[in-house]
DNA sequence: GACCTCAGGTTTCGTTACGAAACGCCTATA
DNA sequence: TATAGGCGTTTCGTAACGAAACCTGAGGTC
């Protein structure tokens, strides 16, 4: 009767959820993007219980989304940093943020704006593109079996 | 001691997780994209317990991600369909799928490919663009308070 | 009317996960 | 030796999950 895991589903969505879909996990990753590196920082910023934070950090390190390094500081100190795999999650976070800006807050009440440093241009959308870098039409997409397809999508 | 909800966090990621971050919820949405509309279809395709499916469908309807309509069929039959808000989640699902293709399966072992119907061009990436439709540089982004900002990001 | 079927749930109950607080461990400084 | 800070682990009560049994309302059959 253990909680079902999704890692046996041959589907990218299920795999992503299996690695970062746990309650709290994506918020920890978001906090890492905001600059948190220490246990106490995550704890304070999120208001998460220590045991749960400990568990989630361990799983994130196991999945190589975060790295854990001992610091050259007095005491038993560590820092957690996003790996390249972890940094690649910014698109997932951005997609969620844009969706909420549109459907939960309303676009003119967004609590957070992401903009290019030098030009100040705000990031307002994600565009689906093909290998050639040109946009594909989202309304005309179809799902096909890929090279690693078995049964379930 | 109730499970913490994120709906009071003034952050788009937290809001999205509050509405669709529950265990199973995004997989139900994914199945809806694949064409499931009936209770039994979701149940069979996902292998989810009836009570949990029932709970998740109700929440998705509450949040207007799915609509529930009675069918003109004999018996007590309903269908669940994605609303516009729900269909807008395809970017989140796509971001997760691309992330897994890269980091879990490996790009050449992706179980699923999404391509444009007429041209056959595969969707291979999401591109961040500004209001002018031109790409922004992801490595030079900064987070700013938006119009609805309060304290927490 | 009495009975049956089927989709779509709800109830029940045992197991697992979560949350809060207390406690332990390691390192360093006084 | 004592104390303190950072980083967890342990403990324990509550909530969520999973499986199976049960219920409900609409229709069809006799």
């Amino acid at each position: 009767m253990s909680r079902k895991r999704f890692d046996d589903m041959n589907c990218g969505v299920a795999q992503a959820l299996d690695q970062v879909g746990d309650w709290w996990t994506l918020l920890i990753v978001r906090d890492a993007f905001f600059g948190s590196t220490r246990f106490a920082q995550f704890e304070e910023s999120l208001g998460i219980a220590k045991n749960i934070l400990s568990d989630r950090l361990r799983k994130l390190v196991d999945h190589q989304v975060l790295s854990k390094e001992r610091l050259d500081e007095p005491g038993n100190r560590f820092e957690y940093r996003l790996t390249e795999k972890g940094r690649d999650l910014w698109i997932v976070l951005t997609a969620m943020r844009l969706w909420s800006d549109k459907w939960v807050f309303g676009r003119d009440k967004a609590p957070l704006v992401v903009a290019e440093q030098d030009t100040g241009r705000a990031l307002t959308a994600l565009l689906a593109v093909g290998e050639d870098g040109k946009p594909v039409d989202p309304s005309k997409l179809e799902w096909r079996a890929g090279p690693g397809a078995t049964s379930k999508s």
Side-chain angles (χ1 to χ4, degrees), chain A residues 24-66:
Chain A
W24 285 116
T25 299
L26 274 177
L27 287 179
I28 292 171
V29 172
R30 181 205 62 170
D31 249 47
F33 273 104
F34 286 167
S36 291
T37 60
R38 305 285 285 265
F39 190 92
Q41 283 183 301
F42 291 107
E43 188 186 358
E44 201 218 325
S45 137
L46 293 172
I48 183 178
K50 284 162 179 277
N51 53 346
I52 306 297
L53 176 58
S54 174
D55 176 78
R56 296 299 186 274
L57 287 173
R58 179 160 12 87
K59 285 180 182 166
L60 284 168
V61 171
D62 283 351
H63 288 309
Q64 304 178 65
V65 172
L66 296 178

Side-chain angles (χ1 to χ4, degrees), chain A residues 23-126:
Chain A
W23 209 239
W24 285 116
T25 299
L26 274 177
L27 287 179
I28 292 171
V29 172
R30 181 205 62 170
D31 249 47
F33 273 104
F34 286 167
S36 291
T37 60
R38 305 285 285 265
F39 190 92
Q41 283 183 301
F42 291 107
E43 188 186 358
E44 201 218 325
S45 137
L46 293 172
I48 183 178
K50 284 162 179 277
N51 53 346
I52 306 297
L53 176 58
S54 174
D55 176 78
R56 296 299 186 274
L57 287 173
R58 179 160 12 87
K59 285 180 182 166
L60 284 168
V61 171
D62 283 351
H63 288 309
Q64 304 178 65
V65 172
L66 296 178
S67 65
K68 180 177 186 177
E69 300 285 342
R70 174 178 290 273
L71 287 176
D72 274 345
E73 278 183 30
N76 228 357
R77 280 106 214 245
F78 304 93
E79 68 172 11
Y80 297 90
R81 293 201 172 274
L82 288 165
T83 62
E84 192 192 344
K85 180 176 177 181
R87 283 192 298 275
D88 258 5
L89 282 169
W90 80 271
I91 301 189
V92 174
L93 296 177
T94 298
M96 288 188 169
R97 194 177 53 74
L98 291 173
W99 183 81
S100 292
D101 286 353
K102 179 173 179 183
W103 291 104
V104 182
F105 298 112
R107 205 101 70 170
D108 51 345
K109 296 190 193 96
L112 188 67
V113 168
V114 174
E116 223 173 22
Q117 281 171 345
D118 19 359
T119 67
R121 283 190 315 138
L123 189 173
T124 56
L126 291 175

